[in-house]
Amino acid sequence: MSTVLATAAGLAFLLAAGALAPRWLTSLATLALANGLVSLGIVVMMRSGVVPFGQGLVFASGGYAAALLFNKAGITDMVLLSALGGAAASLVAAPFAPLLARYRGIFFAMLTLALSMVLYGLLMKTETLGGSDGFNVSRGTLFGWKPPDGAAHYTLWAVTSAIVCLLAGWVRIYCHSQRGLLSLGVRDNELRVEYLGTSVANIVAWNYLIAAALGGVGGALAVLALGHIDPNFSYWTTSGEFVFVAILAGHHSVVAVLASSFLLELVRSFSSAYFPNTWQLALGLFLLLVIRFLPDGLGALLVARRRPA
């Protein structure tokens, strides 16, 4: 019940904030929420002791699926495109889940990165998908209603906020479920979890599929926000940014992941405008400071505040 109330309160806050914020900030926050879903999937994986460096695979899969369905199949509903993007990413990731579940550490990270870069190479060479330039996507609809020009950006913000809050609430429930708590056991001591009669590989595989679905939904929402998609959705630097947000936030709080994603977009936007050649350096130094003084991420601050003195 507390999660439901928190989700409803969070959605109400986001809707009110979007109505009061300037348009540029709402657009930036929309993209931040979409990208935050991908990082949220990485956090789910981190709870089971592995970090995927190739979430660009599912991000691009969901984005391209939504864009193709929009342009080729005439499906323009934003909610439906988001759901189909998540489903497409899950289907792409499903064959690799049993294989990846057998690996840990740097091997897991590099395998996921390799899969992402394979997709990047295919997208670059496939002219029917726009090649290196990609292609554009027009404005979406909501249950058959096409918002006018003045309300289009807020409608997309409202839809994105609703989807992200719903999925974030579900992730929080999952993390506190039996399987979610066993994921922490897998991270701390795989052998003991196996002795309890639970398959470690099964937990890691399912967490990977959950992360894939979240990444696909994020990719579809990002395409709707940007109005364009290209192979860079699957490039290694894109995957690295998602990992950056996950490390910055830590695995303690869902809200911290979304806040960290917004912080990244804010820093990138202002730094690119005022320090176009050095903003990556500033971002790297900030991450080093967080790792040094908050090794459990920004979410640890929220957990600490909730604990009784």
Side-chain angles (χ1 to χ4, degrees):
M1 182 59 70
S2 61
T3 300
V4 175
L5 293 177
T7 301
L11 178 57
F13 171 77
L14 291 176
L15 294 178
L20 299 174
R23 182 167 182 172
W24 69 267
L25 186 58
T26 304
S27 300
L28 186 146
T30 301
L31 185 60
L33 286 182
N35 292 340
L37 274 182
V38 191
S39 298
L40 192 58
I42 295 177
V43 169
V44 172
M45 294 298 301
M46 288 170 60
R47 289 174 61 87
S48 53
V50 291
V51 181
F53 274 70
Q55 286 304 89
L57 171 73
V58 294
F59 186 62
S61 298
Y64 269 92
L68 289 172
L69 288 170
F70 192 105
N71 288 340
K72 303 299 183 181
I75 300 176
T76 61
D77 185 80
M78 292 181 281
V79 177
L80 182 57
L81 287 173
S82 300
L84 292 174
S90 299
L91 288 175
V92 170
F96 307 113
L99 171 66
L100 293 172
R102 298 163 53 189
Y103 294 91
R104 300 292 183 271
I106 192 64
F107 302 103
F108 182 93
M110 290 298 102
L111 277 173
T112 57
L113 179 60
L115 292 173
S116 178
M117 291 306 296
V118 167
L119 178 61
Y120 173 78
L122 292 174
L123 294 174
M124 288 288 289
K125 300 298 183 181
T126 307
E127 293 299 327
T128 55
L129 296 179
S132 60
D133 295 328
F135 55 94
N136 294 329
V137 176
S138 301
R139 186 181 304 156
T141 60
L142 180 61
F143 305 126
W145 173 67
K146 186 173 184 178
D149 293 341
H153 76 285
Y154 182 77
T155 303
L156 179 58
W157 164 253
V159 171
T160 303
S161 298
I163 292 174
V164 170
C165 285
L166 181 64
L167 291 177
W170 180 84
V171 167
R172 189 174 187 273
I173 292 173
Y174 173 77
C175 289
H176 288 83
S177 68
Q178 180 179 0
R179 182 178 291 271
L181 294 175
L182 278 173
S183 297
L184 295 178
V186 170
R187 184 193 64 189
D188 295 334
N189 194 317
E190 291 189 17
L191 189 59
R192 288 186 179 181
V193 175
E194 290 283 358
Y195 283 159
L196 290 174
T198 301
S199 170
V200 169
N202 182 269
I203 291 177
V204 175
W206 274 107
N207 284 352
Y208 179 70
L209 291 177
I210 290 172
L214 292 172
V217 174
L221 290 173
V223 167
L224 293 173
L226 293 171
H228 181 80
I229 189 169
D230 58 62
N232 284 327
F233 271 53
S234 187
Y235 198 52
W236 70 270
T237 54
T238 303
S239 299
E241 290 177 1
F242 298 140
V243 175
F244 174 94
V245 171
I247 295 175
L248 180 63
H251 69 274
H252 295 283
S253 171
V254 170
V255 176
V257 178
L258 302 178
S260 298
S261 181
F262 177 72
L263 179 62
L264 172 64
E265 292 298 329
L266 204 61
V267 170
R268 174 163 45 194
S269 178
F270 281 96
S271 298
S272 298
Y274 296 104
F275 310 102
N277 298 320
T278 59
W279 75 270
Q280 294 94 337
L281 175 62
L283 207 59
L285 291 174
F286 180 65
L287 179 60
L288 288 175
L289 290 174
V290 171
I291 293 174
R292 172 61 181 83
F293 296 104
L294 283 173
D296 291 330
L298 297 178
L301 293 175
L302 299 177
V303 174
R305 293 187 63 180
R306 289 198 298 263
R307 288 174 181 168

